């Protein structure tokens, strides 16, 4: 891997074959047949890692959502449409709704880059409104919401 910064950490289940992992990668076991996401994140947090970026497809994202472990979500909307029977953003999981707040919205080259944050149970309705409207005001100031009028709400 190399380069500046901390070495990568790979969390894997005990049953997986970890041979062939490049030097400089820290291996951690969490779970037996599959990765126990809660145990993995708790272990990383206990070792002082306050921010963990989980990059994966809809299966990983859906599992984090189901377990209530998703604090922040980055969504990119590109100016192209793809049809078919592909899996959605949260994979094939039971329906579960959790509220999120728009934190940031940026536009570049026709693509929208949105950041959403988890609504905390301790947040008042006013705090939720301020958080959402603050991101909206920021997006409007940058001219990011012009797509609403061009494509119809």
């Amino acid at each position: 891997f190399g380069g500046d910064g901390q070495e990568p950490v790979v969390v894997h289940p005990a049953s997986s074959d970890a041979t062939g992992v490049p030097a400089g990668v820290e291996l951690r076991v969490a779970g037996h047949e599959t990765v126990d996401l809660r145990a993995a994140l708790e272990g990383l947090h206990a070792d002082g890692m306050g921010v963990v970026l989980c990059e994966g497809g809809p299966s990983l994202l859906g599992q984090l959502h189901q377990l209530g472990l998703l604090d922040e979500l980055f969504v990119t909307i590109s100016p192209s449409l793809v049809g078919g029977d592909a899996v959605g953003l949260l994979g094939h999981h039971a329906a579960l709704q959790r509220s999120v707040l728009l934190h940031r919205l940026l536009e570049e080259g026709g693509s929208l880059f949105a950041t959403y944050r988890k609504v905390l149970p301790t947040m008042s309705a006013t705090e939720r409104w301020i958080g959402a409207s603050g991101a909206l005001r920021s997006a409007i100031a940058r001219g990011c919401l012009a797509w609403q009028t061009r494509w119809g709400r």
Side-chain angles (χ1 to χ4, degrees), residues 17-97:
D17 179 9
T19 59
V21 174
V25 174
E26 179 183 344
L27 293 172
R28 293 180 177 222
V29 174
H32 187 270
E33 292 296 320
T34 62
V35 172
D36 179 335
L37 294 173
R38 187 174 305 282
L41 291 173
E42 287 172 354
L44 293 169
H45 181 70
D47 288 342
M49 295 180 204
V51 176
V52 178
L53 174 63
C54 297
E55 292 185 343
S59 293
L60 175 61
L61 186 58
Q63 290 172 42
L64 292 167
H65 171 67
Q66 290 289 318
L67 294 169
L69 299 174
L70 193 62
D71 294 323
E72 193 169 64
L73 173 66
F74 299 96
V75 178
T76 301
I77 301 171
S78 299
S80 61
L81 298 173
V82 177
D85 57 357
V87 175
L89 184 66
L90 296 176
H92 294 293
H93 296 279
L96 175 64
Q97 181 178 346

Side-chain angles (χ1 to χ4, degrees), residues 77-80 107 110-112 145-153:
I77 301 171
S78 299
S80 61
E107 186 273 342
S111 293
L112 296 174
L145 295 182
W147 59 273
Q148 284 189 343
T149 56
R150 281 196 306 243
W151 293 327
R153 298 171 201 238

